[in-house]
Amino acid sequence: MNTATWSLAPVRREGAWRAVFVALATLPLLGLLVFVAWPLALIVLRSITGDDHAWTFARYAALLGSPRILQAGWHSLAMGATVTAISVSAGFAVAFALHRSRLPGKAVMRFALLLPILSPSLVQALGIIFLLGRAGLVHQVTGWNFDLYGFWGLVFANACYGLPQVVLIVSSSLAGTDRRYYDGAEVLGASRWRQFLDITLPQCRYALVAAAFVVFTVTVTDFGNAIVIGGRYRVLATEIYAAVAGQLDFGLGAAIGTVLLLPAVLSIAVERMVARRSGRVADGAMVVQAPRNIARDVGLGLVAFVALAPILATTAIVVYASFARLWPYKLGVTLANYHVNLADGFAPIVTSLQVSLLAALVGTALLFSLALAQRRMSGPLAAVSSFLALLPAAVPGLVLGIGYLVAFNDGPLSGWLYGSIAILVACNFYHYHAQGYLAMVAGLRNVPAALEEVAQCLGAGTARRIGEVVLPYAAPTLASVFFFLFMRSMVTLSGVVFLVTPALNLAAVAVMQLDMNGSVSQAAAYATCVMVVTGLAVAAMRLAAARASKMVKRSRHVA
């Protein structure tokens, strides 16, 4: 009897373990169904039904028959292709300078790459206006005039915004290349140029393809820069805003939004293909050490300066303009611009802090639960769970915002959800759900499976196994995901621009409103406050990551 009981105990514990993991997955998957799949389905449904709820493709026929929409679509494609070509070329050069050179000042380069991530997307457009606009600093000093509003202004602003994303993607590929490939090429007598063509480029080709699709998708669906510096150069993102916010035509907005889903879905498909083909970096890979080469470093330094100087200049000029008495005529320093003329003053920043903290706390908990449950899933359930978790990556922010309008403006959830902090928290979290999920899954791979098995054999309960085995190893990832969600929630604009109300505004939207009202210096002051908050979050993230790493080291020592 005792023998039978002992033999059945591990089976029962494993059954309880699986039941807990199913329970952990239920709430995150339910949230994805309610806040992603349902709004997305309603957008597509609204685009193919008329006002009488009959099935029709009249809205798509209207799009194809509208010269304005067709022109906006062509503008989006042309701008997206140009920005992608510039960003990928410059981003590869900057990433190469960071990882394959002995350039001094790499900390400054990384700081410049961090700036667009810390600020709302329209900050680059604001900086370009302050610097090169008709009343910009360059015009005041030199008298030169630039045709800034339109295609080239958008290309400039979006390239500054897309460059850090290219560097981030390509850097992971360059950092993972094993030095022994280059050592073997040296032995065979291959020149530096031959090594670049035969080793470096093939190793980075999938990362470059992924970066190109990411930048193209972000550019085509970006709203912030387009509304500030686009002028008469209309793109699909501004057409959606005009249809929904200006004309209250949700059907037309849904149809344009469905069209914008196509490049995003294609981008996700390509990224998945790239992830499969690129494979994983082998354990024990040796880091490439760049040899001394003055000509290479000088060339890469010049390219990096040309690529990063605009980011530094546009951000610095925005901060400076926030202290100017009357830009650009009275440049004396004053704090008057920080007394904004919005009815709610700095309340949007407080609201953004509340929303961002809630999105980070709730989001990190849900992502941890889902990633933890995913470790024990298999078969169709695992495939469906992974699909739902990655689905938000294919939904641009503007489209998600329209989906929330359609889904939660009326119905059973509208009474307590629409116009509340909850809908803003949900929009911010699910907008970046896929990135957080991938980071969490990658982080949980660091948990030693053998250590979990030992804890199970010793009879540790589910809660104890999670608390004493999984959490210590996952702590750095939890900290990174928390601060990632917080920072992106603070600066995002496109997803929430349709969801704010006069009583519940957000900081990024307030920057746009101040600029549209002509209060450009106050818009700069608001944007500077946002950058300061996100900058402090980065500092806190590094401190938390350092402490979490120490915790992992202690856990490994004990193990």
Side-chain angles (χ1 to χ4, degrees), residues 341-508:
N341 57 14
L342 289 175
D344 45 3
F346 282 95
I349 291 183
V350 177
T351 304
S352 290
L353 283 170
Q354 294 173 343
V355 169
S356 300
L357 285 171
L358 285 172
L361 286 170
V362 175
T364 302
L366 290 176
L367 288 170
F368 178 71
S369 296
L370 182 59
L372 196 61
Q374 189 84 13
R375 289 161 60 87
R376 292 301 178 109
M377 291 184 187
S378 59
L381 179 60
V384 171
S385 173
S386 180
F387 172 77
L388 286 175
L390 295 175
L391 180 61
V395 186
L398 279 175
V399 179
L400 187 64
I402 295 174
Y404 280 26
L405 278 179
V406 174
F408 306 124
N409 194 30
D410 54 20
L413 297 178
S414 61
W416 63 273
L417 193 58
Y418 190 77
S420 68
I421 284 183
I423 195 171
L424 298 174
V425 170
C427 185
N428 279 329
F429 166 51
Y430 286 106
H431 188 187
Y432 298 102
H433 184 281
Q435 296 92 321
Y437 169 76
L438 290 173
M440 193 68 74
V441 169
L444 288 184
R445 291 198 185 106
N446 295 325
V447 181
L451 196 58
E452 289 188 76
E453 293 173 1
V454 169
Q456 179 182 356
C457 292
L458 293 176
T462 302
R464 191 171 181 181
R465 286 161 67 179
I466 294 174
E468 297 184 9
V469 177
V470 177
L471 277 178
Y473 283 89
T477 302
L478 289 170
S480 298
V481 170
F482 174 88
F483 284 105
F484 167 77
L485 292 174
F486 176 83
M487 288 186 293
R488 298 317 299 166
S489 296
M490 280 295 301
V491 302
T492 190
L493 173 66
S494 58
V496 297
V497 69
F498 297 126
L499 304 177
V500 296
T501 65
L504 196 66
N505 202 2
L506 293 178

Side-chain angles (χ1 to χ4, degrees), residues 480-553:
S480 298
V481 170
F482 174 88
F483 284 105
F484 167 77
L485 292 174
F486 176 83
M487 288 186 293
R488 298 317 299 166
S489 296
M490 280 295 301
V491 302
T492 190
L493 173 66
S494 58
V496 297
V497 69
F498 297 126
L499 304 177
V500 296
T501 65
L504 196 66
N505 202 2
L506 293 178
V509 180
V511 175
M512 181 193 74
Q513 292 168 342
L514 286 166
D515 176 72
M516 294 177 69
N517 292 335
S519 303
V520 291
S521 294
Q522 294 185 355
Y526 233 93
T528 301
C529 291
V530 174
M531 286 188 283
V532 168
V533 171
T534 51
L536 291 174
V538 169
M541 177 184 69
R542 291 183 175 179
L543 180 61
R547 292 183 176 179
S549 297
K550 291 180 180 179
M551 184 187 301
V552 171
K553 290 179 181 179

Side-chain angles (χ1 to χ4, degrees), residues 177-500:
T177 305
D178 199 322
R179 190 182 73 193
R180 286 169 287 194
Y181 292 132
Y182 295 93
D183 293 341
E186 287 279 357
V187 172
L188 295 174
S191 65
R192 298 293 182 191
W193 179 245
R194 195 76 251 171
Q195 293 177 36
F196 177 79
L197 293 178
D198 292 344
I199 300 176
T200 304
L201 281 183
Q203 287 287 327
C204 294
R205 64 186 184 275
Y206 294 123
L208 289 171
V209 171
F213 274 91
V214 168
V215 172
F216 181 82
T217 302
V218 169
T219 301
V220 169
T221 59
D222 175 71
F223 170 72
N225 287 323
I227 200 69
V228 172
I229 206 171
R232 296 181 179 179
Y233 192 84
R234 308 290 293 182
V235 294
L236 288 177
T238 52
E239 289 299 323
I240 287 182
Y241 184 75
V244 176
Q247 307 170 24
L248 297 179
D249 190 342
F250 296 120
L252 178 61
I256 302 175
T258 303
V259 172
L260 279 179
L261 284 174
L262 299 179
V265 170
L266 180 60
S267 174
I268 296 304
V270 170
E271 284 188 83
R272 297 292 289 174
M273 179 194 71
V274 167
R276 288 195 301 269
R277 294 194 176 186
S278 60
R280 297 179 63 182
V281 178
D283 293 335
M286 301 176 66
V287 178
V288 177
Q289 299 292 335
R292 293 186 180 278
N293 189 319
I294 296 177
R296 177 205 61 204
D297 289 352
V298 169
L300 288 174
L302 289 174
V303 173
F305 176 79
V306 172
L308 299 177
I311 297 177
L312 286 168
T314 52
T315 305
I317 201 70
V318 167
V319 176
Y320 178 66
S322 72
F323 294 101
R325 290 185 180 276
L326 181 62
W327 182 269
Y329 307 107
K330 296 181 180 180
L331 301 181
V333 176
T334 179
L335 295 176
N337 296 319
Y338 287 84
H339 299 287
V340 294
N341 57 14
L342 289 175
D344 45 3
F346 282 95
I349 291 183
V350 177
T351 304
S352 290
L353 283 170
Q354 294 173 343
V355 169
S356 300
L357 285 171
L358 285 172
L361 286 170
V362 175
T364 302
L366 290 176
L367 288 170
F368 178 71
S369 296
L370 182 59
L372 196 61
Q374 189 84 13
R375 289 161 60 87
R376 292 301 178 109
M377 291 184 187
S378 59
L381 179 60
V384 171
S385 173
S386 180
F387 172 77
L388 286 175
L390 295 175
L391 180 61
V395 186
L398 279 175
V399 179
L400 187 64
I402 295 174
Y404 280 26
L405 278 179
V406 174
F408 306 124
N409 194 30
D410 54 20
L413 297 178
S414 61
W416 63 273
L417 193 58
Y418 190 77
S420 68
I421 284 183
I423 195 171
L424 298 174
V425 170
C427 185
N428 279 329
F429 166 51
Y430 286 106
H431 188 187
Y432 298 102
H433 184 281
Q435 296 92 321
Y437 169 76
L438 290 173
M440 193 68 74
V441 169
L444 288 184
R445 291 198 185 106
N446 295 325
V447 181
L451 196 58
E452 289 188 76
E453 293 173 1
V454 169
Q456 179 182 356
C457 292
L458 293 176
T462 302
R464 191 171 181 181
R465 286 161 67 179
I466 294 174
E468 297 184 9
V469 177
V470 177
L471 277 178
Y473 283 89
T477 302
L478 289 170
S480 298
V481 170
F482 174 88
F483 284 105
F484 167 77
L485 292 174
F486 176 83
M487 288 186 293
R488 298 317 299 166
S489 296
M490 280 295 301
V491 302
T492 190
L493 173 66
S494 58
V496 297
V497 69
F498 297 126
L499 304 177
V500 296

Side-chain angles (χ1 to χ4, degrees), residues 20-31:
V20 169
F21 274 81
V22 171
L24 287 173
T26 299
L27 187 58
L29 292 178
L30 182 62

